[in-house]
């Protein structure tokens, strides 16, 4: 079960909100916004497989997800924004399962935007009539809240 976090209360209590994702985080309800983390500070999930044994000459693997990056030490005056995959992986990890300072965005909203296509020389690509060629892109507008991942009982 996950617990909703009131970001405005955290800011009012002078708790520092640190973004550990590579994206701008924007809470559309409170107006809170924080820029992306630097490359060294981003937390990501890496999937791997562990060999568990063999059955009739067939290897048996178990999938494993690990968080990589510089996982910060606990600080009661800081909350870290991470992706849902990172939050879930940390909640399952025995070393971090009792930490509730990792939150992830929920109710993410997107905007559809038209983007003009440019070529390798940064020149606008046009169709046979001379009109600029555009593509639709999905751009993240922001989220409507954050939650804390809880370890399954």
């Amino acid at each position: 079960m996950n617990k909703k976090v009131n970001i405005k209360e955290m800011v009012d209590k002078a708790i520092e909100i640190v973004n550990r994702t590579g994206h701008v985080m924007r809470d559309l309800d409170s107006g809170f916004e924080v820029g992306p983390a630097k490359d060294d500070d981003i937390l990501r999930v890496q999937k791997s497989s562990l060999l568990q044994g063999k059955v009739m000459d067939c290897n048996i693997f178990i999938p494993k997800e690990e968080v990589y990056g510089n996982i910060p030490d606990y600080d009661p005056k800081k909350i870290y924004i991470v992706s849902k995959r990172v939050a879930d992986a940390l909640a399952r990890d025995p070393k971090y399962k009792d930490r509730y300072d990792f939150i992830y965005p929920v109710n993410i909203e997107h905007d559809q935007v038209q983007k003009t296509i440019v070529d390798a020389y940064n020149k606008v690509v046009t169709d046979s009539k001379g009109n600029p060629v555009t593509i639709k892109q999905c751009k993240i507008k922001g989220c409507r809240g954050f939650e804390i991942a809880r370890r399954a009982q």
Side-chain angles (χ1 to χ4, degrees):
M1 182 163 157
N2 298 331
K3 182 180 180 212
K4 188 110 170 148
V5 174
N6 186 324
I7 205 79
K8 186 173 177 351
E9 282 181 17
M10 297 291 172
V11 172
D12 290 347
K13 291 179 183 176
I15 294 175
E16 183 181 357
I17 312 295
V18 181
N19 188 2
R20 298 305 292 265
T21 74
H23 310 282
V24 171
M25 285 292 147
R26 185 177 298 112
D27 182 27
L28 299 172
D29 292 334
S30 69
F32 172 81
E33 184 175 317
V34 63
K38 295 180 177 124
D39 288 337
D40 294 346
D41 291 333
I42 296 174
L43 295 178
R44 293 186 170 96
V45 172
Q46 177 177 322
K47 286 186 173 187
S48 60
S49 297
L50 297 174
L51 180 63
Q52 292 298 298
K54 289 185 175 212
V55 174
M56 298 179 70
D57 295 331
C58 291
N59 292 331
I60 305 296
F61 292 93
I62 186 168
K64 182 178 179 185
E65 284 189 334
E66 290 181 295
V67 175
Y68 69 97
N70 182 19
I71 299 172
D73 292 331
Y74 177 73
D75 182 339
K77 287 292 187 182
K78 290 185 181 181
I79 295 287
Y80 303 96
I81 300 173
V82 297
S83 70
K84 176 147 177 42
R85 286 185 63 201
V86 168
D88 288 343
L90 289 170
R92 286 189 304 268
D93 187 324
K95 186 175 177 182
Y96 301 103
K97 69 178 176 70
D98 293 324
R99 290 198 36 194
Y100 299 107
D101 53 335
F102 297 104
I103 63 175
Y104 62 90
V106 294
N107 302 320
I108 298 170
E109 294 184 12
H110 300 85
D111 275 335
Q112 294 289 332
V113 295
Q114 292 290 119
K115 184 175 178 184
T116 304
I117 298 175
V118 294
D119 64 15
Y121 302 103
N122 209 25
K123 191 169 183 171
V124 174
V125 176
T126 57
D127 62 17
S128 61
K129 296 178 184 174
N131 298 319
V133 177
T134 61
I135 58 170
K136 272 189 185 178
Q137 284 190 326
C138 195
K139 181 180 178 190
I140 296 175
K141 189 163 61 168
C143 68
R144 297 231 178 248
F146 295 88
E147 288 185 357
I148 301 170
R150 299 288 183 155
R151 184 173 177 198
Q153 299 297 327

